[in-house]
């Protein structure tokens, strides 16, 4: 149906009075809704943590990435955040490249803190079957970012921190590490402008079974 545009009512007429009242009511209602939306849109302290450049310390994280690295075992399966991981025989860490652990990363991204514990089943180097539930949420229950850089060296322009959590299964031992990317105020190597960050692998938890 086509919409027609009629002539505006005469000034001072009853029709104009009605139109004015309707417009005023609509304006009042719109103003109230705008205020409510503004108030609702203000994030809580927990929701707003680390959504942009750093403004608060200590550093906290709301989401994390997850990965697995393995050594000195015959086979393994891990289920965490509804994603399965599995693999076959792996040599001891000392028989692999010396930087292999430090180079390990996380391929499962942006996991909301925290899913149920990781279910780990594996066979150690001598073939012993082992099982463990590793509670990532309990290990990082305070949601604090772990890092080794001195506070005074970290730039306030560090972007949002979604750290890597890396689980290492090594023979009969499970280690859990955190790696967080942090921008620095100045390069660590003066002549290398690309050395203005750190992402150290920090051990958070370890248990031998």
């Amino acid at each position: 149906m086509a919409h027609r545009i009629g002539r505006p009512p005469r000034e001072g007429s009853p029709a104009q009075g009605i139109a004015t009242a309707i417009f005023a009511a609509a304006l009042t209602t719109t103003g109230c809704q705008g205020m409510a939306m503004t108030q609702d849109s203000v994030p809580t302290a927990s929701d707003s943590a680390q959504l942009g450049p750093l403004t608060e310390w200590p550093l906290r994280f709301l989401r994390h990435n997850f990965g697995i690295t393995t050594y000195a075992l015959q086979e393994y399966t891990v289920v965490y955040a509804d994603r399965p991981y599995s693999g076959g025989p792996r040599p001891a860490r000392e028989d692999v490249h010396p930087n292999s652990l430090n180079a390990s990363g996380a391929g499962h991204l942006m996991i909301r803190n925290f899913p149920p514990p990781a279910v780990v089943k594996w066979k150690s180097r001598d073939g012993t079957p082992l099982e463990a539930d590793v509670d990532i949420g309990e290990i990082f229950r305070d949601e604090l970012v772990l890092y080794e850089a001195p506070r005074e060296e970290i730039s306030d322009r560090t972007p949002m921190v979604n750290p890597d959590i890396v689980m290492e299964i090594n023979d009969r031992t499970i280690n859990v590490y955190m790696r967080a990317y942090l921008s620095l105020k100045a390069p660590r190597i003066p002549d290398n402008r690309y050395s203005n960050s750190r992402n150290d692998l920090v051990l958070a938890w370890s248990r031998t079974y």
Side-chain angles (χ1 to χ4, degrees):
M1 178 183 298
H3 295 277
R4 297 182 180 178
I5 302 177
R7 276 187 302 180
R10 297 188 307 274
E11 182 176 357
S13 67
Q16 186 186 37
I18 294 173
T20 302
I22 293 174
F23 176 77
L27 182 61
T28 302
T29 304
T30 303
C32 293
Q33 290 175 341
M35 290 178 62
M37 289 175 63
T38 301
Q39 293 169 352
D40 291 343
S41 65
V42 175
T44 63
S46 60
D47 289 340
S48 63
Q50 301 313 318
L51 296 182
L54 303 183
T55 57
E56 297 182 359
W57 295 81
L59 305 184
R60 297 182 183 275
F61 65 103
L62 299 177
R63 291 176 174 81
H64 61 281
N65 312 318
F66 184 75
I68 301 282
T69 188
T70 58
Y71 304 96
L73 52 69
Q74 293 190 12
E75 63 182 22
Y76 77 95
T77 62
V78 176
V79 178
Y80 180 65
D82 297 323
R83 177 175 291 190
Y85 306 79
S86 62
R90 287 280 290 157
R93 191 199 293 175
E94 57 267 23
D95 297 330
V96 186
H97 191 280
N99 197 42
S100 63
L101 176 62
N102 190 55
S104 59
H108 189 179
L109 308 180
M110 296 290 289
I111 303 169
R112 177 76 186 192
N113 300 351
F114 283 105
V119 178
V120 187
K121 299 180 181 181
W122 78 105
K123 288 185 178 180
S124 62
R125 177 162 36 191
D126 63 7
T128 303
L130 299 165
E131 295 186 18
D133 289 349
V134 180
D135 193 342
I136 304 296
E138 175 61 22
I139 295 171
F140 299 103
R141 60 185 177 276
D142 54 9
E143 297 185 316
L144 291 178
V145 176
L146 305 183
Y147 56 91
E148 293 183 347
R151 164 68 183 92
E152 61 272 14
E153 294 182 9
I154 301 174
S155 169
D156 289 338
R157 302 304 298 175
T158 286
M160 175 177 59
V161 178
N162 290 320
D164 288 353
I165 293 176
V166 178
M167 177 185 292
E168 176 196 9
I169 309 172
N170 190 338
D171 194 11
R172 291 174 171 266
T173 300
I174 295 179
N175 299 313
V176 177
Y177 302 85
M178 175 177 286
R179 184 201 309 278
Y181 176 91
L182 300 174
S183 296
L184 302 179
K185 295 177 180 177
R188 290 178 288 112
I189 304 172
D191 295 332
N192 183 357
R193 61 174 180 165
Y194 300 108
S195 64
N196 61 345
S197 65
R198 288 183 64 161
N199 60 345
D200 304 293
L201 197 64
V202 182
L203 180 64
W205 181 88
S206 181
R207 181 168 296 174
T208 298
Y209 298 84

